[in-house]
Amino acid sequence: MADRTLVASATNLLARGFLVVPTDRRSRAGEPTNGLFAVARAIRRTIAWRTPARAIAVIESDPAARATWPALLAAQLAPLPELLAALGMHVVHAAGEVHAVASYTRAARERGDDVVIVGVDKRYAQLVTDRVWWYDANKDARYTPDVVFKRFAVPPERVADWLALVGDDDQMPGIAGIGAKGATQLLEAHGSAEAALAAAVAGAVAGTASPANAGHAAAPEAVRSTASPANAGHAAAPKAVRSTIDGRTGKALRAAVDDVPRELARARLDPQRPLPTPLDDCAYVAPRASELNPLLDRLAFAELLVPEGETTAVDVVDSPDALAAALARLGSPVAIHALVEDPAPIRAELAGIALAAADDAHGSAIYIAAGSPAWPPLATWLADPASPKLGHDLAAATVALRRAGIALAGVAGDSMHASHLTQPSNWAPHDLGVVAKPVLGRALPDDDAVRGVGRARKAWSQLPADRAGEVAAQRASTAAALWRALSPGVAAELLDDYLELAELAVRMELAGILVDPAELDSAEQAFAAIEAELDVDIYKLAGHDFNINSSQQLGRVLFEELKLPIVSHTKTGWSTSIEALERIEHAHPIVALVLRWRLLRRLRDSWVNGLRKCIDVDGRVHSRFHVARSFSGHLVNTAPDLSRVPGRTPEMARIRRAFRAAPGRVLMSVDFHQLGLYVLAHLTKDPALVEPLRARADMHRLTAGAVLDKPPADVTLDERQLGKVINFATFAGQGASALAQQLNVPAAEAKEYLARFDRRYARVRAFQDDQLRLASERGYITTIAGRRWPIGGLESLDSHDRSYAERLARRAPHEGSVSDVSRRALRDADRALRAASLDAIAVHSILDEVLFDVRADQLADAARVASHAMRHAFELEVPLVVGVEAGTHWADLEPVTL
């Protein structure tokens, strides 16, 4: 295998990355670093593909090239060489950066190396060959000759001419009136930009024009290129070059005839340029984590930190006496980490447990392997509520321990909760390794690095106890360090709320929910029969059989044979996604049948088969509940995510029917009525929301009437659905474009809907505007429970990032507050049921609904107690309303009279 040379266009990466990465990224000293981050990220990605033998980073030395840089960007040039050198690059300063990159590319190819060019300048596309890649870091795209042709519609050797005609940016403006398609046609017809210019001048001299081609240059019959084997198959040179160009294209070319040669020279690279530093002096030197990480930490590039290979000092304890002595030495509280074989704690086997002193910054710790003589006394200590413990995601450890017959009591703090309360979105999903980087500047080795991958992967119990102990101890001491760093900045009552809810989540996970496999079998048989009927009907409408599950075959039937409108495209052609088909559902009867066919296939594959795999030996599905994962704070359900169990259609209900209660018990659902609207009314005090909600009016009908300018009594069911969509989309901060796509209406119509919406709910819009202002001033928003949610990106130069941040700032106070209410309602209902000594346990929570497993003869009392607690979780402007239903199957719940 040939060596690889990496050539980075460093100044180009810095300048273009500055426009992509949010400008609010700062070093720990407060200096701007967004462009530097783009450089480091691009180089790290490239090196990760394959370690290079040589690595060069070119920095533009001509001050004129950065004369117009803004101050935030110019300030990042000085630290650039240090960063590049720390990443293992040989730094070269040269006037004419693009040309220097070309020279090193030539030299590396002559040496026999493969080459990867890292930069954003389109001119690098002309250097691409079979052995030279161009990596556009901003687009995260790797360009081979074929990809270049797909991107520019010309092969690499024509890119310089193409850019001379089309331009790239302000420094290479191209020719006014010549677009990408026109440039491609000119090059196909004339071979080069110079030839096209000559033909335009000749056209003016001749003073004649072909009527058939007036106004444009027609492309001749395509021929195969003989310029380079790498580009065989691409159009390279015409069979016959046109002698003149006239009309609008000729006029545009003649107007630029004095400028294009200069621009073309800029676009072409000089392969004979001497190297500023000999290639053999540019060996890549892999950076040492101990040297690189301090710089990355100083720049606040937490995402890029690398494991240092250092381990926490650990003693492997294997006797009761040694454990007692160690516990006395560690003091109180103690940080713990349970080392489990499987990521799903409900099915995990314990390999061992590490304990670390919570106040020991040096991280000394002990490790006890499962089954050792010290294990029984350790279990006794773990169950002692008088011995306080800390950790990270102790809910998972608690579940794993309970399944092993060990109770965990005395949990005093969880650094995952402190992380979520500090940065709910920026550090998601709040795993230990993710949070340790920005908070501690520490990168932990992942499981694969320690245990191996694939067939070589070892169980923790197969590793030497001291090696497994080092890993577990490092994680325990890291959790302790995170707790020391984060908990002082978070209100104690909020941390207590998280701990209590996490304890409830553990009980929910351990309880699980009963699933009837016979009902799944019955549903699968029913779905198969319906699918077979749909096959016949779809084939009849199509006029022939085809593979409905094939996007290509389905697309040909819908868009080529039946000529249905194409509303969405992918990189390879028309889209047949569910969203795209829903927008043309009324265009032909076949579309509705295909959508139903796909639904049944998804139900069978994702739910029938998926649920079967998740049923444990006790006949129950034990999914995980995370109290500190989602941005907004709502409980996240995984492995499997039962919040997505469908139930809208009769077929979907077959899935829910498989969830059932054991004999003598019932499932009880307590569901908020339009929770989001009640919370919004409380936050905004908008009378257009408050008064109708107090009167129990139909808010979706009222909104539909307002946006359609008709009396609510005249609103149809379909129009009410439109009102519902507009309510939730607008309260979530959607704009006219997104709403138009969701409703499948013209953008102007959606814009008018929003204007009417704003007139009716003026205070809602004023509230959202105010939240954006506060987020811009303070950097965060607050929820009804007092949680802070930092909002980044509001100052980003990238319009997409900035727009997202603004939408988030507008909706986050409402979204986070809805989660606050649902979390507290779940907690208070559980408290009340246990205080009343009722045999009822929450088994599932879906934002505004809680599903309980209740003893049948206690249903009436449980319904009264739980519904009262949930209604009074928060005392809002308009009192919350809940409904209660119960039954033996989730799909067949009936109202319960309170």
Side-chain angles (χ1 to χ4, degrees):
M1 181 182 294
D3 284 347
R4 169 163 292 178
T5 292
L6 170 62
V7 187
S9 183
T11 320
N12 173 245
L13 287 171
L14 181 75
R16 298 295 183 92
F18 176 78
L19 302 175
V20 174
V21 178
T23 53
D24 55 2
R25 181 177 276 275
R26 294 288 193 275
S27 69
R28 293 197 181 276
E31 299 159 337
T33 59
N34 66 319
L36 292 168
F37 179 79
V39 174
R41 180 176 59 185
I43 291 174
R44 285 282 298 276
R45 281 177 178 172
T46 313
I47 292 173
W49 299 333
R50 179 182 161 200
T51 302
R54 281 155 288 282
I56 305 97
V58 181
I59 296 179
E60 175 61 63
S61 61
D62 183 359
R66 51 184 182 273
T68 59
W69 280 14
L72 284 177
L73 173 57
Q76 299 180 55
L77 186 63
L80 181 60
E82 179 188 7
L83 175 62
L84 293 168
L87 290 169
M89 309 291 289
H90 184 90
V91 179
V92 170
H93 296 266
E97 178 179 354
V98 175
H99 304 293
V101 168
S103 298
Y104 276 106
T105 300
R106 169 190 50 82
R109 285 299 301 119
E110 290 175 351
R111 197 182 190 283
D113 289 2
D114 292 335
V115 183
V116 175
I117 302 168
V118 191
V120 183
D121 196 312
K122 293 186 181 71
R123 288 177 287 179
Y124 294 131
Q126 64 195 278
L127 297 177
V128 171
T129 70
D130 285 346
R131 302 289 296 276
V132 177
W133 284 0
W134 165 44
Y135 175 57
D136 183 339
N138 282 1
K139 295 182 181 296
D140 193 21
R142 285 178 266 186
Y143 285 82
T144 63
D146 286 339
V147 178
V148 169
F149 189 81
K150 289 178 182 178
R151 168 67 179 82
F152 297 96
V154 295
E157 64 268 18
R158 294 271 192 88
V159 168
D161 295 88
W162 190 90
L163 287 172
L165 297 171
V166 177
D168 184 19
D169 52 28
D170 291 340
Q171 293 179 325
M172 194 187 305
I175 299 175
I178 304 295
K181 185 177 180 180
T184 301
Q185 291 177 336
L186 284 169
L187 295 177
E188 288 177 345
H190 299 277
S192 68
E194 292 100 325
L197 288 166
V201 172
V205 172
T208 59
S210 170
N213 295 301
H216 67 278
E221 183 180 347
V223 296
R224 295 189 178 274
S225 169
T226 58
S228 95
N231 297 301
H234 299 321
K239 275 187 176 179
V241 177
R242 293 175 53 83
S243 58
T244 62
I245 302 176
D246 40 41
R248 291 191 301 273
T249 299
K251 184 177 180 180
L253 290 170
R254 287 190 292 273
V257 71
D258 293 331
D259 299 325
V260 172
R262 176 175 58 84
E263 298 299 336
L264 185 56
R266 280 181 45 80
R268 283 189 171 170
L269 311 179
D270 181 5
Q272 303 305 318
R273 184 184 181 92
L275 299 180
T277 301
L279 186 62
D280 287 340
D281 293 344
C282 299
Y284 170 70
V285 180
R288 294 181 178 180
S290 59
E291 298 173 356
L292 176 62
N293 279 350
L295 173 61
L296 296 178
D297 183 53
R298 193 174 81 228
L299 295 172
F301 294 170
E303 306 95 316
L304 304 180
L305 291 170
V306 294
E308 297 189 13
E310 297 180 2
T311 58
T312 301
V314 61
D315 293 328
V316 177
V317 171
D318 57 5
S319 73
D321 290 343
L323 176 63
L327 287 172
R329 185 174 69 253
L330 292 174
S332 179
V334 173
I336 71 172
H337 181 82
L339 206 57
V340 296
E341 302 291 5
D342 191 291
I346 199 71
R347 290 178 285 275
E349 292 185 9
L350 280 165
I353 292 178
L355 310 179
D359 61 354
D360 185 1
H362 300 292
S364 60
I366 65 172
Y367 178 72
I368 306 94
S372 79
W375 196 253
L378 173 66
T380 300
W381 177 83
L382 289 170
D384 182 5
S387 300
K389 295 105 182 161
L390 304 173
H392 194 90
D393 192 12
L394 285 181
T398 304
V399 170
L401 287 165
R402 293 273 182 89
R403 295 283 280 191
I406 302 172
L408 178 63
V411 175
D414 193 315
S415 54
M416 175 178 274
H417 302 164
S419 168
H420 190 268
L421 285 165
T422 303
Q423 285 282 2
S425 52
N426 291 349
W427 298 340
H430 300 279
D431 293 335
L432 182 65
V434 173
V435 183
K437 287 182 176 182
V439 177
L440 305 177
R442 184 183 302 178
L444 302 179
D446 60 23
D447 282 5
D448 291 345
V450 180
R451 302 169 67 186
V453 295
R455 294 181 179 179
R457 188 177 183 85
K458 295 182 178 180
W460 289 115
S461 58
Q462 292 176 311
L463 295 176
D466 57 349
R467 180 64 181 121
E470 287 174 353
V471 174
Q474 187 179 40
R475 294 176 183 180
S477 63
T478 298
L482 286 174
W483 180 256
R484 292 194 300 269
L486 297 176
S487 60
V490 181
E493 59 270 21
L494 290 175
L495 289 168
D496 290 342
D497 283 346
Y498 271 64
L499 280 179
E500 184 174 358
L501 196 59
E503 192 273 333
L504 171 55
V506 166
R507 287 187 281 113
M508 292 169 67
E509 183 172 349
L510 290 169
I513 183 169
L514 197 63
V515 176
D516 186 354
E519 194 66 51
L520 292 176
D521 293 342
S522 175
E524 183 175 34
Q525 294 169 8
F527 295 162
I530 299 172
E531 275 188 42
E533 295 174 0
L534 288 172
D535 285 345
V536 174
D537 294 340
I538 291 171
Y539 296 155
K540 186 181 297 183
L541 290 172
H544 60 85
D545 294 0
F546 67 98
N547 184 357
I548 304 171
N549 206 36
S550 166
S551 296
Q552 287 189 340
Q553 293 186 37
L554 176 62
R556 281 197 293 269
V557 169
L558 298 180
F559 305 121
E560 294 181 4
E561 297 174 16
L562 298 178
K563 308 298 183 184
L564 300 187
I566 301 171
V567 297
S568 181
H569 292 81
T570 66
K571 292 181 179 179
T572 58
W574 19 249
S575 171
T576 60
S577 67
I578 290 176
E579 294 77 11
L581 296 187
E582 285 176 342
R583 294 171 63 185
I584 60 171
E585 185 172 357
H586 301 296
H588 194 283
I590 196 173
V591 181
L593 298 182
V594 169
L595 285 170
R596 191 180 180 205
W597 187 94
R598 280 189 169 179
L599 170 64
L600 291 168
R601 180 59 61 92
R602 190 169 71 251
L603 291 176
R604 189 168 65 176
D605 293 346
S606 299
W607 288 109
V608 174
N609 295 329
L611 275 176
R612 280 200 191 106
K613 298 175 183 177
C614 296
I615 300 175
D616 211 336
V617 292
D618 60 359
R620 293 175 174 270
V621 171
H622 299 269
S623 59
R624 285 214 66 190
F625 294 92
H626 307 267
V627 303
R629 175 162 292 194
S630 71
F631 291 4
S632 67
H634 74 267
L635 260 69
V636 173
N637 187 214
T638 61
D641 182 1
L642 299 184
S643 65
R644 297 190 300 111
V645 174
R648 188 174 67 252
T649 67
E651 289 87 2
M652 292 177 178
R654 294 297 300 265
I655 305 298
R656 288 202 170 197
R657 193 167 293 118
F659 292 84
R660 54 164 299 164
R665 305 186 69 82
V666 293
L667 295 178
M668 178 182 75
S669 169
V670 185
D671 192 2
F672 282 110
H673 175 69
Q674 296 184 334
L675 176 60
L677 296 180
Y678 280 78
V679 172
L680 192 66
H682 177 80
L683 295 174
T684 65
K685 307 297 188 292
D686 193 329
L689 277 173
V690 171
E691 299 308 323
L693 288 174
R694 282 180 177 158
R696 303 287 183 89
D698 186 334
M699 291 302 306
H700 301 321
R701 186 176 293 275
L702 291 177
T703 296
V707 300
L708 296 173
D709 197 20
K710 64 191 303 185
D714 295 339
V715 170
T716 66
L717 288 178
D718 286 343
E719 290 170 339
R720 181 188 180 277
Q721 179 64 24
L722 178 142
K724 183 177 181 178
V725 171
I726 292 175
N727 272 339
F728 290 122
T730 309
F731 296 154
Q734 277 191 3
S737 297
L739 182 62
Q741 186 170 4
Q742 192 169 357
L743 294 175
N744 196 22
V745 299
E749 186 175 342
K751 189 174 182 179
E752 180 59 28
Y753 285 162
L754 290 182
R756 293 174 180 174
F757 179 96
D758 290 347
R759 286 196 291 270
R760 177 172 180 82
Y761 301 108
R763 288 196 187 177
V764 170
R765 276 298 190 224
F767 171 78
Q768 292 176 336
D769 292 343
D770 194 48
Q771 295 306 303
L772 175 57
R773 178 186 60 80
L774 289 173
S776 299
E777 293 175 356
R778 303 179 307 195
Y780 63 88
I781 60 89
T782 56
T783 70
I784 194 174
R787 291 187 296 120
R788 287 187 177 185
W789 185 345
I791 307 294
L794 290 171
E795 298 178 357
S796 174
L797 297 180
D798 185 283
S799 60
H800 178 78
D801 290 343
R802 187 174 62 253
S803 177
Y804 171 79
E806 290 173 350
R807 291 195 305 273
L808 183 60
R810 289 174 175 274
R811 77 171 195 264
H814 174 240
E815 191 175 326
S817 296
V818 170
S819 295
D820 286 346
V821 174
S822 64
R823 288 165 66 101
R824 185 174 295 184
L826 172 63
R827 184 203 68 180
D828 289 357
D830 177 69
R831 276 183 181 177
L833 289 167
R834 289 196 289 156
S837 299
L838 293 171
D839 185 1
I841 175 66
V843 292
H844 191 34
S845 175
I846 315 173
L847 196 59
D848 54 1
E849 175 189 5
V850 181
L851 192 66
F852 297 88
D853 187 318
V854 182
R855 207 172 84 184
D857 61 354
Q858 296 182 355
L859 173 61
D861 289 339
R864 175 180 50 79
V865 170
S867 62
H868 181 272
M870 290 176 65
R871 278 199 307 272
H872 295 281
F874 279 90
E875 300 301 332
L876 302 185
E877 186 75 14
V878 182
L880 291 163
V881 177
V882 299
V884 183
E885 295 181 327
T888 56
H889 294 77
W890 194 7
D892 303 318
L893 305 182
E894 299 290 339
V896 175
T897 303
L898 299 176

